Amino acid sequence: MTARENHSDTPFAARLLRRLDLSEDTALFTVAPEDAALPLLSSFTPGQFVQLSVPGAGEIPISPADLPQKDGTVDLCVRRVGHVTQALHQAPEGARLGLRGPFGTGFPLPEMEGHPVLLLAGGLGIAPLRSLLMHLLRNSDRFGEITLMYGAKQPKLMLFREELAEFAARRGLRLYLTVDFAPQEPCGGFSCAVGLLPDLLRGFSFDAANSYAAVCGPPALYRCLGADLEAAGVAPQRILLSLERRMRCGIGRCCHCALGQKLCCLDGPVFPLSDLKQIPEAL
Ligand SMILES: Cc1cc2nc3c(=O)[nH]c(=O)nc-3n(C[C@H](O)[C@H](O)[C@H](O)COP(=O)(O)OP(=O)(O)OC[C@H]3O[C@@H](n4cnc5c(N)ncnc54)[C@H](O)[C@@H]3O)c2cc1C
Ligand code: FES
């Protein structure tokens, strides 16, 4: 089923199975849909999103942090920022939730095969990119070199850092971490630069002409990273940006997420830089 065909506006029932705190305001929630959801979630492609509803609070778009497991459970890494995310963080294990989706475009995995892939994540941007990273690592024989550059404000806000260090040590991931500033505490045993993500990229030598780049982070990052990647020699149609826009329906009906003539929920949230350059307000 393609994203455009999947116009489901009725959430299917799910339960909060467990929760793992990753930082003081961010946790990984494992959500178990009931049986009817399995065929839907099994079509998930990294980069797509689901609409998660918390009864009594509302519904929000979230990009799964990994591909759904065989039993249909899905991991959602969610930062507490407002009404619905706060309600989710307060929900007890076993709480009833709702899920719709998956929606939107994911990363173009077939055309990325055979190429090196550079992932650039700023802050919470690691959450949506993690599902792409997991796919690349599990299928590393089908892709070129896999590199992750990940920047956080400070070491304690760096999510999944033990897991990422493990991937670097055992699964061939080239990993570069940076923090905006490093307070007194050490980086937890991780080799970590101090500076901004674009600084890491500027000192990096790679096969740009052959590479795909996947970027997710705060909006301010996109303009400069997009320009830097292009200047380094990555083709703009291979610079893939995962955009975050306020959404309501998630299925192309309300126009809440309009980006010029495009809708972020249907045509995105993953867009090539070449498309976004045609939309003045996109970046
Ligand atoms: C495609 C997509 C994928 C996403 N994936 C994730 C994810 O994996 N993990 C995660 O934690 N969050 C993700 N988000 C963001 C998440 O949807 C918002 O944080 C959530 O909707 C906030 O809801 P709330 O009711 O808690 O906050 P509200 O009470 O609605 O707002 C709280 C604050 O957050 C701001 N805000 C709310 N929604 C957005 C938004 N979409 N963009 C920018 N600012 C916003 C508001 O302006 C306000 O300042 C994603 C968003 C999109 C569009
Ligand atoms: S969220 Fe309604 S059209 Fe995109």
Side-chain angles (χ1 to χ4, degrees), residues 177-206:
L177 303 175
T178 188
V179 287
D180 294 0
F181 77 100
Q184 291 311 311
E185 86 261 20
C187 231
F190 305 101
S191 167
C192 201
V194 177
L196 301 176
L197 208 45
D199 302 329
L200 267 189
L201 180 63
R202 277 180 210 124
F204 181 60
S205 142
F206 67 115

Side-chain angles (χ1 to χ4, degrees), residues 49 51 61 100 245-258 262-267:
F49 67 96
Q51 290 282 76
R100 293 193 287 132
R245 284 292 185 276
R246 288 260 190 185
M247 288 185 189
R248 283 225 174 118
C249 69
I251 53 175
R253 288 196 191 143
C254 70
C255 291
H256 214 70
C257 64
K262 296 199 184 276
L263 294 173
C264 193
C265 67
L266 281 188
D267 303 301

Side-chain angles (χ1 to χ4, degrees), residues 49 60-64 77-79 81-86 124 127-128 243-247 269:
F49 67 96
I60 53 172
I62 298 290
S63 293
C77 173
V78 181
R79 176 165 293 169
V81 295
H83 187 62
V84 180
T85 50
Q86 169 82 12
L124 190 61
L243 294 195
E244 218 184 85
R245 284 292 185 276
R246 288 260 190 185
M247 288 185 189

